[in-house]
């Protein structure tokens, strides 16, 4: 082993990436720079480039403590400065978006929760729709109810103000199939649009305000004449729609310019595609071909949940059912931004690309995500049809496996956009493929293990045939060897650094070593009492590491298959372990959310990291080992960085500073500069030195102690109080203790000293103070008796003389 390797001692959290959208209301600010997303009863404000950490409005909700006043829905005003939120308590709160503070709040009179909120175009009225089938209008400046609109059935699902504020018209949709319009000033129902057969999901006005377009779950788009309330055109779209937006004329969509005298509507729904319809002629002008939203798994399911159009940016944004926000440039329909709002369970994380710039992450989804670690911009990679479980990468390729019984090989470019393209697929497994591994040394083969209990090796050719336009089918990976490896599900596979050996770990409590050339068994490792979750080869020694559900990590010799060492310290299943520091240390992750740093030589746990709230499935270390990432069931990705050197430097500087101060204290005491020495003694937190100084002050009757204590900082006063309470426990030191307590209590009464736990300090010092007072009272009695005796004896003494 290389003894020059500097061992790691301390890791700290550098960045914590949490969910910012978990479903519900989404809003896009008018300037197009920020999204406001509903996040577990709070509102997250996330920038479109995802460079800044999302800001949060509202009370955070944790598992241990349920916030009472969570947010149900919200709306932002057209200026983008003010936000209104509806809460569980029935309150409406008005927020200043920039300052992130509540400006006003008032109680609504809705029976039940508020489902929708909306500002009118002039931001002078707020409409709130509730579960009680009513819509109420509010004046945000005076917080008074301007009126109640009744007539809808069921929960209010949609509110739309007429774009011209002067018309005073509000459209609302309940659980029935009708769109109702009121004059909200006179509270009169003026229009009813009846034509849908299922719930209406979207309503949008045309630019000239003469028509509206509506979408519904009944798979139709309807163009309505606003004045006559008649359906001008009904278009069957053969998919349940969730949102519709009328586009202004003159805009370029995918290279086509929209004509002036036509009505164009963009819609999205269960197909996961944006389609632009020309409403008067009922034809599709543009159909998205590069969608990153998967089609709904079942008919009537959700794929696209929201659709937005930003006129200032000329961009369109879709929100998917799996909580991703994807922004497209309208002119080319190219994806310009991808935001992943919620990762669900993080199953695997690996570093990809030059200098480990990119991070690939498998979550509870058929698409895996690739993040640029410099900006944390996300890229969704589509290909698998079921949940991706495992990822592996070398300097040329990335490999993935999934529940769809397949493995996929991807090539990635080194260009700034970092495009990932699937080049081959392997389809020989008959069950879920739990783990894959690429050979790092040669890159000529890969290994996969599955719940069909098979270990397979696959050949990776140097060149791949490109799929022709006639057949969209990808080239197949050639399976070179197959072996029925274990008696139960195989959880993990690992290839040795020299590509000669393959190790597997299984639920049958054994790990096996295989010859990579013919898959013959080299050895079997028995010793774990529960299923093995991961296996790893040491980067420098002939050692295999296994970790299992029996809470242990074992190190095995590859020469005689004996167990060299067992590391015990986790209280639950050990799910993942990685070698670091040239094989001299380990990082381990457990099912209790704890990460541990181990020194192999001493079998000692050097540090326990506790930031995750649930199982930690994923662990990956950068090439220089200065940073590692962890992810798990709590959907948190945490970036940790090594701070060993900085901590050592800090400790060294602190020791130097302490030694200098100790020398200075010694000098001051020898020079009898007691009051200066007091401040330094408190700074060093030395109770004995402080006691000697106060005793010396009492003995020499030096003045100025009260003035010195008054000038001390609050921390130093608190330290002196702690010391005085400690001295007070000994009767020998009661005088300096009582003197210090008296001065400090006077400071407290004068308001110059704020102590955090005054009651606790007084409670601990009172019994001793009472005992000292009692003892001194007895001394005084005895002294008075002696004085009295002497006074009585005085006349007799003179007579004797």
């Amino acid at each position: 082993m290389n003894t020059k390797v500097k061992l790691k001692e301390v890791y700290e959290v550098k960045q914590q990436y949490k969910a910012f959208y978990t479903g519900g209301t989404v809003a896009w600010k008018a300037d197009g720079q920020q999204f406001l997303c509903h996040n577990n009863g709070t509102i997250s404000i996330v920038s479109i480039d995802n460079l800044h950490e999302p800001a949060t409005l509202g009370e955070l909700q944790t598992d241990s403590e349920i916030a009472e006043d969570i947010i149900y829905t919200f709306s932002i005003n057209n200026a983008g400065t003010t936000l209104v939120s509806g809460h569980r308590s029935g309150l409406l709160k008005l927020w200043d978006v920039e300052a992130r503070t509540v400006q006003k709040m008032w109680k609504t009179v809705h029976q039940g929760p508020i489902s929708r909120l909306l500002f009118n175009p002039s931001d002078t009225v707020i409409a709130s729709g509730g579960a009680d089938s009513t819509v109420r209008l509010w004046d945000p400046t005076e917080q008074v109810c301007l009126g109640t609109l009744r007539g809808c059935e069921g929960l209010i699902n949609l509110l739309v103000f007429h774009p011209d504020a002067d018309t005073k018209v509000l459209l609302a949709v309940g659980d029935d199939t009708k769109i109702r319009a009121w004059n909200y000033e006179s509270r009169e129902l003026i229009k009813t649009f009846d034509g849908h057969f299922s719930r209406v999901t979207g309503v949008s006005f045309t630019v000239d305000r003469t028509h509206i377009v509506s979408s519904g779950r009944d798979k139709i788009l309807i163009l309505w004449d606003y004045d006559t309330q008649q359906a001008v055109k009904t278009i069957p779209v053969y998919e349940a729609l969730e949102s519709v937006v009328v586009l202004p004329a003159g805009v370029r969509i995918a290279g086509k310019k929209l004509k002036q005298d036509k009505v164009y509507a963009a819609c999205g729904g269960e197909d996961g595609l944006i389609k632009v319809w020309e409403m008067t002629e009922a034809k599709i002008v543009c159909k998205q071909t590069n969608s990153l939203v998967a089609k709904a798994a079942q008919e009537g399911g959700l794929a696209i949940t929201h659709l937005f159009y930003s006129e200032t940016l000329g961009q369109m944004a879709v929100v998917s059912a799996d909580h991703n926000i994807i922004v497209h440039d309208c002119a080319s329909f190219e994806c310009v931004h991808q935001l992943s709002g919620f990762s669900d369970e993080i199953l695997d994380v690996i570093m990809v690309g030059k200098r480990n710039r990119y991070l690939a992450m498998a979550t509870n989804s058929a698409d895996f995500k690739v993040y640029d670690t410099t900006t944390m911009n996300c890229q969704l990679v589509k290909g698998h049809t079921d949940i991706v479980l495992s990822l592996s990468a070398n300097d040329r390729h990335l490999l993935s496996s999934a529940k769809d019984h397949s493995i996929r090989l991807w090539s990635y470019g080194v260009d700034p956009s970092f495009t990932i393209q699937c080049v081959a697929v392997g389809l020989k497994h008959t069950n879920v493929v739990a783990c894959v591994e690429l050979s790092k040394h040669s890159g000529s083969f890969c290994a996969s293990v599955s719940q069909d209990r098979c270990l397979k090796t696959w050949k990776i050719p140097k060149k791949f045939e490109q799929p022709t336009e006639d057949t969209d089918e990808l080239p197949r990976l050639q399976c070179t060897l197959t072996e029925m490896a274990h008696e139960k599900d195989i959880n993990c596979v690992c290839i040795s650094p020299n590509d000669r050996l393959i190790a597997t770990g299984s639920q049958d409590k054994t790990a096996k070593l295989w010859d990579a050339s013919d898959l013959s068994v080299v050895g079997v490792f028995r010793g774990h009492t529960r299923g093995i979750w991961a296996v790893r080869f040491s980067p420098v020694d002939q050692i295999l590491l296994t970790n299992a559900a029996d809470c242990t990590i074992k190190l095995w010799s590859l020469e005689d298959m004996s167990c060299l060492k067992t590391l015990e310290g986790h209280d639950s299943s050990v799910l993942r372990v990685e070698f670091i520091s040239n094989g001299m240390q380990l990082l381990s992750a457990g099912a209790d959310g704890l990460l541990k740093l181990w020194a192999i030589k001493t079998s000692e746990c050097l540090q326990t990291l506790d930031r995750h709230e649930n199982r930690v499935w994923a662990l990956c270390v950068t090439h220089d080992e200065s940073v590692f990432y962890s992810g798990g069931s709590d959907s948190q990705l945490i970036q940790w960085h090594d701070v060993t050197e900085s901590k050592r430097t800090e400790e060294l500087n602190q020791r130097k500073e302490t030694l200098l101060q100790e020398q200075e204290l010694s000098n001051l005491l020898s020079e009898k500069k007691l009051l200066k020495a007091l401040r330094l003694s408190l700074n060093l937190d030395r109770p004995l030195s402080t006691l000697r100084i106060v005793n010396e002050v009492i003995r020499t009757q030096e003045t100025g102690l009260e003035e010195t204590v008054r000038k001390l900082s609050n921390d130093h006063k608190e330290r002196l109080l702690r010391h005085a309470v400690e001295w007070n426990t000994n009767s020998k030191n009661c005088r300096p203790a009582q003197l210090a307590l008296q001065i400090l209590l006077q400071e407290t009464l004068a308001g110059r000293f704020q102590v955090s736990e005054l009651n606790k300090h007084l409670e601990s010092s009172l019994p001793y103070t009472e005992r000292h007072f009692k003892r001194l009272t007895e001394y005084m009695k005895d002294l008075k008796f002696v004085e009295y005796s002497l006074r009585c004896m005085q006349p007799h003494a003179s007579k004797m003389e």
Side-chain angles (χ1 to χ4, degrees):
M1 283 189 188
N2 185 3
T3 52
K4 290 181 182 177
V5 174
K6 290 183 178 177
L7 298 182
K8 315 286 187 292
E9 289 176 12
V10 187
Y11 277 99
E12 282 183 357
V13 174
K14 189 176 184 181
Q15 199 73 44
Q16 207 165 345
Y17 302 100
K18 294 183 178 180
F20 61 80
Y21 174 54
T22 54
T25 314
V26 182
W28 198 4
K29 282 181 78 173
D31 60 5
Q33 295 306 308
Q34 289 178 324
F35 283 101
L36 290 94
C37 310
H38 198 238
N39 179 18
N40 271 343
T42 63
I43 301 165
S44 291
I45 304 172
V46 60
S47 62
I48 194 169
D49 54 15
N50 204 19
L51 287 175
H52 310 291
E53 197 173 332
T56 303
L57 302 178
E59 294 179 39
L60 287 170
Q61 188 166 335
T62 60
D63 292 339
S64 57
E65 185 183 339
I66 296 172
E68 286 300 314
D69 207 18
I70 63 167
I71 295 169
Y72 282 146
T73 187
F74 66 89
S75 178
I76 190 163
N77 70 351
N78 299 284
T81 56
T82 306
L83 180 140
V84 64
S85 58
H87 295 252
R88 178 190 279 169
S89 60
L91 287 174
L92 286 179
K93 292 185 182 180
L94 211 61
W95 301 77
D96 184 317
V97 176
E98 286 301 314
R100 289 164 200 146
T101 53
V102 177
Q103 294 175 317
K104 295 167 184 174
M105 66 173 84
W106 66 96
K107 186 83 175 171
T108 66
V109 280
H110 282 287
Q111 298 296 313
I114 302 160
S115 57
R116 286 287 178 270
L117 287 166
L118 191 68
F119 279 91
N120 75 337
S122 60
D123 295 337
T124 54
V125 175
I126 297 170
S128 66
D132 56 359
S133 309
T134 63
V135 179
R136 296 181 189 274
L137 286 310
W138 305 90
D139 182 342
T141 53
E142 302 294 330
Q143 299 94 57
V144 292
C145 183
L146 302 172
T148 304
L149 311 177
R150 291 183 174 85
C152 283
E153 293 178 19
L155 182 79
I156 304 296
N157 288 301
L158 194 64
L159 293 173
V160 179
F161 276 101
H162 193 289
D164 297 329
D166 298 337
T167 58
K168 311 287 185 189
V169 172
L170 171 68
L171 279 67
V173 175
D175 278 335
D176 58 350
T177 59
K178 295 176 183 177
I179 305 164
R180 294 176 173 84
W182 286 268
N183 181 314
Y184 58 81
E185 202 166 57
S186 64
R187 297 190 286 285
E188 180 189 348
L189 181 65
I190 52 173
K191 295 179 191 294
T192 303
F193 301 89
D194 190 359
H196 282 279
F197 304 105
S198 188
R199 186 159 77 77
V200 180
T201 54
V203 174
S204 185
F205 276 86
T206 57
V207 180
D208 59 6
R209 321 298 189 225
T210 57
H211 294 83
I212 61 170
V213 178
S214 64
S215 63
R217 294 266 174 90
D218 51 5
K219 306 185 180 183
I220 59 171
L221 275 174
I222 299 180
L223 177 67
W224 302 88
D225 186 305
Y226 180 69
D227 293 325
T228 63
Q229 305 161 51
Q230 296 300 309
V232 177
K233 205 80 177 178
T234 301
I235 305 171
V237 293
Y238 307 107
E239 62 164 327
L241 297 177
E242 288 300 314
S243 192
V244 66
V245 178
V246 172
L247 300 173
V251 173
R252 293 190 79 83
I253 298 286
K256 296 175 185 175
K257 193 171 182 180
L258 304 185
K259 295 175 183 175
Q260 292 289 342
D261 54 344
K262 306 283 185 183
V263 177
Y264 296 92
C267 60
E270 66 176 306
D271 284 353
L273 306 171
I274 301 172
K275 295 172 187 173
V276 180
W277 289 83
E278 200 288 288
M279 294 300 295
T280 52
E281 293 177 14
K283 65 177 183 181
I284 294 178
V285 177
C286 174
K287 185 177 178 180
Q288 190 182 4
T289 55
N290 60 343
S291 175
L292 293 168
V293 182
K295 187 178 178 178
Q298 56 195 30
E299 192 178 349
L302 294 175
I304 291 175
T305 57
H306 299 81
L307 185 64
F308 300 101
Y309 173 70
S310 171
E311 203 164 345
T312 52
L313 296 177
Q315 292 175 350
M316 207 175 288
V318 293
V319 182
S320 69
D322 50 2
H323 312 111
N324 297 315
I325 302 171
I326 300 151
V327 184
H328 295 275
D329 180 61
C330 288
S332 61
F333 244 101
E334 289 298 314
C335 174
V336 287
H337 295 289
Q338 295 178 50
L339 307 177
S340 178
F342 178 59
S343 293
D344 204 358
E345 199 159 355
I346 299 171
L347 303 175
D348 203 2
V349 173
I350 57 163
M351 304 306 299
V352 190
K354 282 187 178 178
R355 298 176 189 165
N356 295 148
R357 178 174 170 179
Y358 296 93
L359 183 92
M361 187 164 80
T363 62
N364 221 0
S365 165
D367 312 328
F368 64 89
K369 295 162 185 168
V370 177
Y371 289 90
D372 184 342
T373 54
T374 56
T375 61
M376 284 317 281
N377 279 340
C378 175
Q379 182 181 338
L380 292 171
V381 182
K382 301 182 74 65
H384 285 285
T385 56
D386 208 338
I387 292 170
V388 177
L389 295 175
S390 175
L391 298 167
S392 179
N394 58 21
D395 54 2
R396 289 191 300 130
H397 293 111
L398 190 147
L399 188 68
S400 62
S401 71
K403 283 189 175 181
D404 58 9
H405 307 182
S406 74
I407 67 169
R408 283 179 178 261
L409 188 71
W410 311 78
S411 70
Y412 53 85
V414 291
D415 58 333
S417 61
F418 194 74
T419 49
I420 295 179
Q421 185 182 2
C422 188
V423 291
V425 61
L427 299 169
K428 295 287 183 182
H429 280 290
T430 58
N431 210 325
V432 172
V433 186
C435 190
V436 282
E437 178 85 350
L438 268 168
S439 60
K440 303 284 193 299
H441 182 64
S442 64
S444 60
F445 76 99
C446 64
S448 64
V449 291
S450 165
Q451 287 182 9
D452 60 13
R453 305 176 198 171
C454 286
L455 163 65
K456 292 181 186 287
T457 58
W458 310 75
K459 184 183 177 184
I460 297 175
K462 290 183 179 176
K463 286 189 177 180
F464 294 93
E465 293 177 16
Q466 293 297 321
T468 59
E469 287 183 12
D470 304 333
T471 60
D472 229 9
E473 205 170 304
L474 287 161
R476 297 288 171 86
L477 283 173
Q478 182 189 344
C479 180
T480 51
L481 296 163
T482 301
E483 187 66 40
M484 186 66 81
H486 287 268
E487 295 170 11
K488 289 186 179 178
D489 295 355
I490 308 171
N491 290 329
C492 52
V493 64
C494 189
I495 299 172
S496 64
N498 62 5
D499 290 354
R500 291 183 183 175
L501 297 169
I502 298 172
T504 57
S506 165
Q507 286 296 105
D508 64 7
K509 307 171 192 174
T510 66
K512 291 186 180 181
L513 198 64
W514 309 84
D515 190 320
S517 60
D518 59 359
L519 287 192
S520 58
V521 178
V522 178
V524 181
F525 304 94
R526 292 186 176 89
H528 284 291
T529 56
R530 301 283 295 276
I532 293 170
W533 280 114
V535 287
R536 284 286 178 270
F537 286 97
S538 169
V540 289
D541 290 328
Q542 291 193 4
I543 287 173
L544 181 75
L545 176 145
T546 58
N547 55 274
D550 60 5
C551 314
T552 63
I553 302 164
K554 289 181 184 285
L555 297 166
W556 309 82
S557 166
L558 296 181
E559 292 178 355
D560 56 6
M561 313 302 155
S562 62
C563 180
L564 301 172
K565 203 164 266 194
T566 301
L567 304 178
E568 296 177 347
H570 281 279
D571 294 327
S572 59
S573 300
V574 187
L575 302 176
R576 194 71 176 261
V577 182
E578 295 290 345
F579 279 101
I580 56 169
S581 309
N582 254 17
M584 295 168 72
Q585 287 183 291
L586 301 174
L587 277 169
S588 64
D592 52 4
L594 296 178
L595 297 158
K596 288 182 183 286
L597 175 66
W598 303 83
I600 292 176
K601 191 174 181 181
T602 59
S603 305
E604 183 188 358
C605 176
L606 302 174
Q607 190 187 12
T608 299
L609 307 167
D610 183 10
R611 272 301 180 92
H612 284 281
E613 294 159 17
N614 213 324
R615 290 183 294 274
V616 182
W617 289 112
L619 206 61
C620 75
V621 187
T622 56
H623 189 66
D624 61 0
E625 296 182 356
S626 61
V627 170
F628 79 90
Y629 293 87
S630 62
S633 299
D634 56 359
S635 76
Q636 283 191 92
L637 177 72
I638 300 179
Q639 182 185 8
W640 307 82
H641 67 139
D642 177 24
V643 292
T644 308
E645 283 301 313
S646 61
K647 287 284 180 186
R648 280 177 186 160
T649 310
E650 198 179 307
E651 280 175 21
L652 198 65
N653 292 338
Q654 209 167 343
R655 279 175 62 193
K656 281 180 186 174
E657 186 68 29
T658 304
L659 285 168
L660 286 168
Q661 287 185 349
E662 281 177 351
Q663 184 60 51
E664 194 181 342
L665 177 63
S666 177
N667 294 342
L668 288 169
L669 287 172
S670 63
E671 293 169 13
K672 300 291 181 185
K673 294 180 179 176
L674 300 174
L675 298 176
K676 277 188 179 179
L678 178 67
R679 190 189 297 269
L680 202 55
S681 178
L682 289 168
N683 199 38
L684 289 166
D685 202 8
R686 299 285 164 82
L688 189 60
S689 296
T690 312
L691 175 64
R692 284 174 183 159
I693 291 164
V694 176
N695 271 328
E696 191 65 23
V697 167
I698 293 167
R699 193 180 66 79
T700 57
Q701 294 185 349
E702 188 173 336
T703 57
L705 181 65
E706 285 186 35
E707 190 62 35
T708 304
V709 171
R710 189 174 296 144
K711 288 177 181 175
L712 291 174
S713 69
N714 209 71
D715 287 346
H716 284 163
K717 285 177 184 175
E718 201 158 334
R719 240 174 240 178
L720 181 59
L721 178 62
R722 254 194 347 264
H723 293 176
V725 169
E726 197 179 317
W727 306 334
N728 201 41
T729 57
N730 191 331
S731 58
K732 287 193 298 182
N733 305 324
C734 70
R735 193 176 175 193
Q738 290 298 319
L739 178 63
L741 284 170
Q742 184 198 0
I743 296 168
L744 288 169
L745 286 171
Q746 283 174 351
E747 288 292 295
T748 308
L749 290 169
R752 291 188 291 267
F753 175 35
Q754 284 83 37
V755 59
S756 52
E757 294 176 328
L758 183 61
N759 288 351
K760 185 182 166 186
H761 291 309
L762 290 176
E763 278 173 23
S764 55
S765 63
L766 270 172
Y768 292 102
T769 303
E770 284 171 3
R771 196 182 301 167
H772 300 325
F773 182 72
K774 205 171 182 179
R775 192 179 62 254
L776 287 170
T777 308
E778 291 299 318
Y779 285 154
M780 288 297 288
K781 280 182 186 176
D782 293 346
L783 187 62
K784 291 292 181 188
F785 180 70
V786 171
E787 283 180 2
Y788 173 73
S789 300
L790 283 170
R791 205 176 290 119
C792 289
M793 290 165 65
Q794 200 73 34
H796 300 291
S798 57
K799 282 178 185 178
M800 290 286 289
E801 286 173 2

